[in-house]
Amino acid sequence: MIGTLCSKLDLCERKRETMSENMALGANIQHRQYHIDLTPEQVGAYAILPGDPGRVEEIAQYLENPVFVAEKREYRTFAGALAGQKVIVMSTGIGGPSAAIGIEELIKCGVHTFIRIGTCGGMQPEVLPGDLVIAQAVIRSEGTSYEYLPQGYPACADITITNALRQSAEDAGLRHHTGVVHSKDNFYGQTEPDTMPIGDILKSKWDAYIKAGCLASEMEAAALYTVGLVRRVRVGCVLTAIWNPELHKAGVAQTQYLSNERAIKCAVNATKMLINQASF
């Protein structure tokens, strides 16, 4: 009798433990973001966002005690620390839709400060391979931002991040430019416009952007800046110019610059500045 009672009590206790575990698991699942596979406990307030998953670990090595956190779809994440604060590095993939999903879900996890590290093609003759381009604002020649903001509304960077990136580049003696960049959805629409049925339209707009002083072209900043404006978080961007197609058209010899080191150093030191300012 006593043995039977003890067995029943043990069974009840195991059931309670299982229920508690399932409740904890359920809560964790509820807080885990669907696409990026992260929970609020895994991230801090600061994020560095490359596009390429292959660049994540390279950037993470500049953090203190970097560790792998998650990988799902195009979203690969490492976490570490800078100036006493947790910082994550997460890839966003190519283009606006995946970038917007990534930042939306990070915001839901509690991140409020984002710096994109990317690559670009120069559009002005002074933007040479290896130069850094700090995007103060972005031409919205893509589609994602138009599902957030109406036509004519600008996509602008957070001024504190822009200033921190500029200061970081200056402190490191890195050649850099600050101004307007161009975001697009069709990479080959830029590089091979004559193969497109609307090639004349693409080239006309491209020439107009150059005349207006646009520095470079890339594929994610417009979406990131737009989400940042709508969700009231801070977003900035530093790009490495791989090469300059306009110089190529003019017959100027150039070598593609494929290192990420300059942009990484610029973004990491800017993140440290922002943490130390604690101005958010």
Side-chain angles (χ1 to χ4, degrees), residues 117-179:
I117 295 178
T119 57
C120 64
M123 294 171 66
Q124 298 298 320
E126 66 270 20
V127 180
L128 305 177
D131 286 1
L132 297 183
V133 177
I134 298 166
Q136 186 175 10
V138 189
I139 299 167
R140 295 165 54 200
S141 290
E142 38 65 70
T144 303
S145 68
Y146 291 91
E147 297 194 21
Y148 285 88
L149 294 172
Q151 186 172 359
Y153 199 98
C156 301
D158 177 81
I159 188 65
T160 58
I161 295 183
T162 300
N163 287 340
L165 288 169
R166 290 183 66 188
Q167 187 63 54
S168 177
E170 289 170 7
D171 290 346
L174 300 173
R175 182 178 161 89
H176 63 284
H177 314 269
T178 303

XYZ file of all heavy atoms in Angstrom, residues 117-179:
462
model
N 27.417 46.333 -42.403
C 28.699 46.286 -43.098
C 28.447 45.623 -44.443
O 27.969 44.489 -44.494
C 29.743 45.473 -42.316
C 30.079 46.150 -40.989
C 31.006 45.295 -43.148
C 31.068 45.363 -40.152
N 28.732 46.322 -45.520
C 28.457 45.753 -46.831
C 29.502 46.132 -47.857
O 30.549 46.698 -47.533
N 29.203 45.816 -49.101
C 30.062 46.171 -50.220
C 29.257 46.963 -51.239
O 28.022 46.942 -51.226
C 30.654 44.920 -50.899
O 29.574 44.072 -51.316
C 31.559 44.165 -49.941
N 29.951 47.657 -52.105
C 29.260 48.494 -53.082
C 30.133 48.695 -54.307
O 31.330 48.379 -54.300
C 28.901 49.855 -52.469
S 30.330 50.864 -51.992
N 29.517 49.244 -55.344
C 30.247 49.687 -56.521
C 30.242 51.204 -56.559
O 29.192 51.835 -56.394
N 31.398 51.818 -56.754
C 31.485 53.269 -56.774
C 30.784 53.865 -57.985
O 30.746 53.253 -59.057
N 30.230 55.057 -57.807
C 29.557 55.761 -58.907
C 30.218 57.096 -59.227
O 30.078 57.599 -60.339
C 28.080 55.965 -58.568
C 27.291 54.663 -58.489
S 25.607 54.841 -57.840
C 24.815 55.830 -59.110
N 30.904 57.687 -58.272
C 31.646 58.922 -58.500
C 33.115 58.589 -58.741
O 33.637 57.614 -58.195
C 31.513 59.864 -57.304
C 30.097 60.317 -57.024
C 29.485 61.109 -58.177
O 30.159 61.934 -58.810
N 28.208 60.844 -58.464
N 33.824 59.380 -59.558
C 35.211 59.046 -59.905
C 36.151 59.011 -58.712
O 37.184 58.331 -58.759
C 35.608 60.145 -60.901
C 34.623 61.246 -60.679
C 33.357 60.596 -60.260
N 35.793 59.706 -57.640
C 36.673 59.732 -56.469
C 36.502 58.511 -55.566
O 37.292 58.302 -54.638
C 36.453 61.013 -55.653
C 35.097 61.136 -54.992
C 34.070 61.832 -55.861
O 34.255 61.889 -57.090
O 33.078 62.334 -55.288
N 35.478 57.698 -55.808
C 35.256 56.507 -54.989
C 36.046 55.360 -55.595
O 35.639 54.747 -56.589
C 33.755 56.160 -54.898
C 33.559 54.915 -54.034
C 32.968 57.328 -54.317
N 37.187 55.059 -54.995
C 38.120 54.082 -55.534
C 37.983 52.741 -54.821
O 37.504 52.681 -53.683
C 39.554 54.597 -55.387
C 39.842 55.974 -55.999
C 41.279 56.389 -55.703
C 39.571 55.962 -57.503
N 38.401 51.639 -55.455
C 38.371 50.346 -54.788
C 39.123 50.387 -53.455
O 40.263 50.872 -53.392
C 39.061 49.417 -55.790
C 38.796 50.050 -57.118
C 38.839 51.525 -56.859
N 38.470 49.921 -52.402
C 39.051 49.954 -51.066
C 38.568 51.105 -50.220
O 38.722 51.086 -48.993
N 37.985 52.134 -50.842
C 37.445 53.255 -50.066
C 36.219 52.813 -49.270
O 35.482 51.909 -49.680
C 37.022 54.397 -50.996
C 38.192 55.156 -51.572
O 39.347 54.795 -51.277
O 37.947 56.111 -52.340
N 35.996 53.474 -48.144
C 34.774 53.268 -47.377
C 33.737 54.306 -47.797
O 34.070 55.459 -48.066
C 35.039 53.388 -45.880
C 35.990 52.377 -45.259
C 36.095 52.595 -43.752
C 35.555 50.953 -45.569
N 32.488 53.873 -47.855
C 31.376 54.771 -48.141
C 30.395 54.674 -46.968
O 29.868 53.593 -46.688
C 30.673 54.410 -49.461
C 29.469 55.321 -49.683
C 31.643 54.512 -50.628
N 30.182 55.789 -46.298
C 29.251 55.853 -45.170
C 27.950 56.439 -45.689
O 27.910 57.566 -46.183
C 29.838 56.698 -44.029
C 31.126 56.037 -43.509
C 28.821 56.859 -42.897
C 31.958 56.937 -42.620
N 26.894 55.651 -45.608
C 25.621 56.018 -46.239
C 24.799 56.917 -45.329
O 24.204 56.462 -44.354
C 24.830 54.767 -46.588
N 24.763 58.192 -45.674
C 23.966 59.166 -44.926
C 22.484 59.036 -45.264
O 21.616 59.232 -44.416
C 24.474 60.568 -45.251
C 23.844 61.674 -44.444
C 24.497 63.011 -44.762
O 25.286 63.129 -45.698
N 24.182 64.016 -43.979
N 22.193 58.724 -46.518
C 20.822 58.508 -46.989
C 20.882 57.593 -48.203
O 21.948 57.384 -48.781
C 20.148 59.837 -47.337
N 19.709 57.045 -48.579
C 19.683 56.032 -49.637
C 18.566 56.321 -50.630
O 17.430 56.627 -50.251
C 19.465 54.621 -49.046
C 19.659 53.566 -50.125
C 20.406 54.357 -47.881
N 18.899 56.206 -51.923
C 17.888 56.256 -52.976
C 17.132 54.938 -52.962
O 17.722 53.864 -53.056
C 18.546 56.472 -54.354
C 19.317 57.799 -54.374
C 17.498 56.453 -55.462
C 20.235 57.947 -55.569
N 15.820 55.006 -52.893
C 14.987 53.808 -52.754
C 14.602 53.240 -54.130
O 13.457 53.285 -54.549
C 13.745 54.148 -51.936
C 14.045 54.549 -50.489
C 12.857 55.224 -49.837
N 11.666 54.384 -49.941
C 10.420 54.848 -49.824
N 10.210 56.145 -49.614
N 9.398 54.036 -49.928
N 15.578 52.641 -54.808
C 15.310 52.022 -56.113
C 15.071 50.528 -55.949
O 15.566 49.718 -56.733
C 16.481 52.272 -57.061
O 16.543 53.623 -57.428
N 14.331 50.156 -54.924
C 14.008 48.760 -54.658
C 12.533 48.685 -54.295
O 11.812 49.667 -54.450
C 14.902 48.188 -53.549
C 15.219 49.152 -52.391
C 14.009 49.545 -51.577
O 13.482 48.669 -50.862
O 13.583 50.707 -51.641
N 12.064 47.543 -53.860
C 10.641 47.395 -53.611
C 10.222 47.301 -52.159
O 9.122 47.715 -51.796
N 11.109 46.790 -51.298
C 10.722 46.525 -49.913
C 10.281 47.783 -49.181
O 9.269 47.779 -48.468
C 11.893 45.867 -49.157
O 12.283 44.676 -49.833
C 11.488 45.526 -47.727
N 11.014 48.865 -49.351
C 10.714 50.084 -48.594
C 9.333 50.645 -48.906
O 8.739 51.348 -48.083
C 11.786 51.147 -48.847
O 11.737 51.632 -50.173
N 8.803 50.330 -50.103
C 7.511 50.879 -50.503
C 6.340 50.154 -49.839
O 5.195 50.580 -49.965
C 7.381 50.863 -52.023
C 8.325 51.865 -52.645
C 9.612 51.485 -53.021
C 7.968 53.198 -52.790
C 10.501 52.402 -53.538
C 8.844 54.123 -53.321
C 10.121 53.719 -53.688
O 11.003 54.644 -54.197
N 6.638 49.087 -49.123
C 5.610 48.449 -48.314
C 5.654 48.946 -46.878
O 4.918 48.460 -46.015
C 5.751 46.926 -48.389
C 5.536 46.414 -49.806
C 5.323 44.916 -49.887
O 4.943 44.305 -48.876
O 5.524 44.367 -50.976
N 6.531 49.933 -46.623
C 6.608 50.613 -45.331
C 6.258 52.099 -45.456
O 5.507 52.636 -44.658
C 8.022 50.503 -44.755
C 8.391 49.160 -44.196
C 8.941 48.177 -45.005
C 8.220 48.871 -42.849
C 9.297 46.935 -44.488
C 8.580 47.639 -42.312
C 9.113 46.676 -43.143
O 9.465 45.456 -42.632
N 6.850 52.755 -46.455
C 6.747 54.205 -46.584
C 6.267 54.589 -47.975
O 6.569 53.891 -48.951
C 8.105 54.860 -46.334
C 8.692 54.749 -44.933
C 10.119 55.279 -44.922
C 7.835 55.503 -43.914
N 5.555 55.693 -48.091
C 5.093 56.123 -49.416
C 6.237 56.664 -50.263
O 7.303 57.027 -49.753
C 4.091 57.234 -49.084
C 4.553 57.779 -47.779
C 5.091 56.602 -47.020
N 6.007 56.722 -51.549
C 6.983 57.281 -52.471
C 7.287 58.721 -52.086
O 6.391 59.496 -51.738
C 6.445 57.226 -53.897
C 7.447 57.650 -54.952
C 6.926 57.402 -56.365
O 5.828 56.906 -56.536
N 7.720 57.744 -57.365
N 8.553 59.078 -52.149
C 8.955 60.437 -51.820
C 9.480 60.602 -50.416
O 10.139 61.601 -50.107
N 9.193 59.634 -49.528
C 9.702 59.730 -48.152
C 11.144 59.237 -48.143
O 11.444 58.165 -48.654
C 8.855 58.888 -47.200
C 9.023 59.282 -45.753
C 8.104 60.113 -45.138
C 10.112 58.834 -45.009
C 8.261 60.487 -43.810
C 10.279 59.201 -43.689
C 9.355 60.029 -43.091
O 9.522 60.395 -41.773
N 12.081 59.996 -47.561
C 13.497 59.616 -47.646
C 13.861 58.468 -46.717
O 13.246 58.277 -45.663
C 14.217 60.902 -47.219
C 13.243 61.584 -46.312
C 11.873 61.284 -46.874
N 14.873 57.716 -47.102
C 15.458 56.683 -46.252
C 16.779 57.226 -45.727
O 17.763 57.322 -46.467
C 15.675 55.396 -47.043
N 16.783 57.613 -44.460
C 17.944 58.289 -43.866
C 18.535 57.472 -42.730
O 17.822 56.780 -42.008
C 17.552 59.663 -43.327
S 16.870 60.773 -44.564
N 19.837 57.593 -42.559
C 20.524 56.942 -41.456
C 20.310 57.719 -40.162
O 19.975 58.914 -40.176
C 22.012 56.851 -41.753
N 20.528 57.055 -39.045
C 20.554 57.736 -37.758
C 21.814 58.601 -37.692
O 22.922 58.139 -37.976
C 20.561 56.709 -36.624
C 20.672 57.351 -35.265
O 19.643 57.812 -34.742
O 21.805 57.413 -34.738
N 21.656 59.851 -37.281
C 22.767 60.798 -37.309
C 23.870 60.424 -36.330
O 25.063 60.615 -36.598
C 22.264 62.249 -37.051
C 23.394 63.252 -37.273
C 21.671 62.381 -35.666
C 23.893 63.326 -38.685
N 23.511 59.848 -35.170
C 24.545 59.471 -34.202
C 25.419 58.342 -34.733
O 26.629 58.323 -34.502
C 23.921 59.068 -32.860
O 23.013 57.971 -33.058
C 23.171 60.223 -32.225
N 24.815 57.407 -35.457
C 25.609 56.324 -36.035
C 26.476 56.850 -37.171
O 27.655 56.504 -37.279
C 24.701 55.184 -36.523
C 23.982 54.525 -35.346
C 25.526 54.143 -37.286
C 23.120 53.345 -35.719
N 25.911 57.690 -38.020
C 26.689 58.270 -39.116
C 27.898 59.015 -38.582
O 29.024 58.861 -39.089
C 25.814 59.214 -39.955
O 24.719 58.469 -40.510
C 26.604 59.840 -41.092
N 27.696 59.822 -37.550
C 28.809 60.571 -36.965
C 29.846 59.648 -36.344
O 31.059 59.894 -36.441
C 28.282 61.549 -35.914
C 27.563 62.737 -36.534
O 27.748 63.039 -37.718
N 26.728 63.407 -35.762
N 29.374 58.581 -35.689
C 30.309 57.627 -35.076
C 31.133 56.909 -36.147
O 32.340 56.699 -35.980
C 29.545 56.618 -34.226
N 30.509 56.534 -37.257
C 31.236 55.875 -38.343
C 32.269 56.821 -38.961
O 33.402 56.419 -39.261
C 30.259 55.387 -39.411
C 29.393 54.176 -39.025
C 28.282 53.965 -40.055
C 30.240 52.919 -38.905
N 31.885 58.070 -39.153
C 32.825 59.044 -39.713
C 34.008 59.253 -38.772
O 35.169 59.284 -39.204
C 32.121 60.381 -39.960
C 31.108 60.346 -41.089
C 30.507 61.719 -41.319
N 31.509 62.656 -41.802
C 31.302 63.967 -41.951
N 30.117 64.482 -41.630
N 32.234 64.740 -42.430
N 33.725 59.393 -37.475
C 34.787 59.595 -36.494
C 35.705 58.387 -36.436
O 36.932 58.510 -36.360
C 34.186 59.863 -35.119
C 35.217 60.254 -34.061
C 35.918 61.558 -34.394
O 35.261 62.576 -34.618
N 37.243 61.545 -34.437
N 35.102 57.206 -36.499
C 35.890 55.977 -36.468
C 36.818 55.887 -37.667
O 38.000 55.523 -37.538
C 34.944 54.772 -36.433
O 35.657 53.557 -36.472
N 36.311 56.212 -38.856
C 37.138 56.179 -40.066
C 38.261 57.204 -39.991
O 39.405 56.924 -40.373
C 36.267 56.426 -41.294
N 37.946 58.383 -39.488
C 38.966 59.432 -39.371
C 40.040 59.040 -38.362
O 41.243 59.233 -38.602
C 38.304 60.751 -38.966
C 37.464 61.365 -40.086
C 36.610 62.532 -39.622
O 36.778 62.947 -38.447
O 35.792 63.015 -40.416
N 39.624 58.482 -37.226
C 40.588 58.080 -36.200
C 41.552 57.021 -36.719
O 42.724 56.993 -36.337
C 39.856 57.534 -34.972
C 39.107 58.619 -34.203
O 39.359 59.817 -34.463
O 38.275 58.260 -33.338
N 41.047 56.138 -37.593
C 41.874 55.062 -38.128
C 42.623 55.466 -39.395
O 43.393 54.673 -39.944
C 41.006 53.838 -38.419
N 42.399 56.690 -39.863
C 43.069 57.153 -41.070
C 42.617 56.430 -42.323
O 43.394 56.265 -43.272
N 41.339 56.034 -42.349
C 40.797 55.291 -43.479
C 40.164 56.246 -44.488
O 39.377 57.121 -44.110
C 39.743 54.288 -43.003
C 40.233 53.227 -42.011
C 39.069 52.411 -41.488
C 41.280 52.334 -42.663
N 40.514 56.085 -45.735
C 39.924 56.919 -46.792
C 38.429 56.603 -46.885
O 38.022 55.449 -47.049
C 40.620 56.619 -48.122
C 40.133 57.453 -49.303
C 40.929 57.086 -50.555
N 40.235 57.495 -51.757
C 40.357 58.670 -52.352
N 41.174 59.572 -51.853
N 39.672 58.957 -53.451
N 37.596 57.648 -46.796
C 36.154 57.416 -46.757
C 35.390 58.586 -47.364
O 35.913 59.691 -47.510
C 35.684 57.196 -45.314
C 35.886 58.385 -44.427
N 37.127 58.742 -43.923
C 35.009 59.314 -43.943
C 37.007 59.820 -43.175
N 35.742 60.199 -43.177
N 34.125 58.321 -47.705
C 33.211 59.310 -48.272
C 31.878 59.161 -47.543
O 31.454 58.059 -47.206
C 33.003 59.069 -49.770
C 34.281 58.825 -50.520
N 35.015 59.828 -51.105
C 34.952 57.671 -50.774
C 36.075 59.312 -51.699
N 36.061 58.007 -51.509
N 31.200 60.264 -47.325
C 29.894 60.235 -46.671
C 28.881 60.939 -47.559
O 29.136 62.042 -48.050
C 29.937 60.941 -45.304
O 30.927 60.319 -44.481
C 28.591 60.855 -44.609
N 27.734 60.297 -47.784
C 26.709 60.920 -48.612
C 25.625 59.943 -48.992
O 25.344 58.977 -48.270
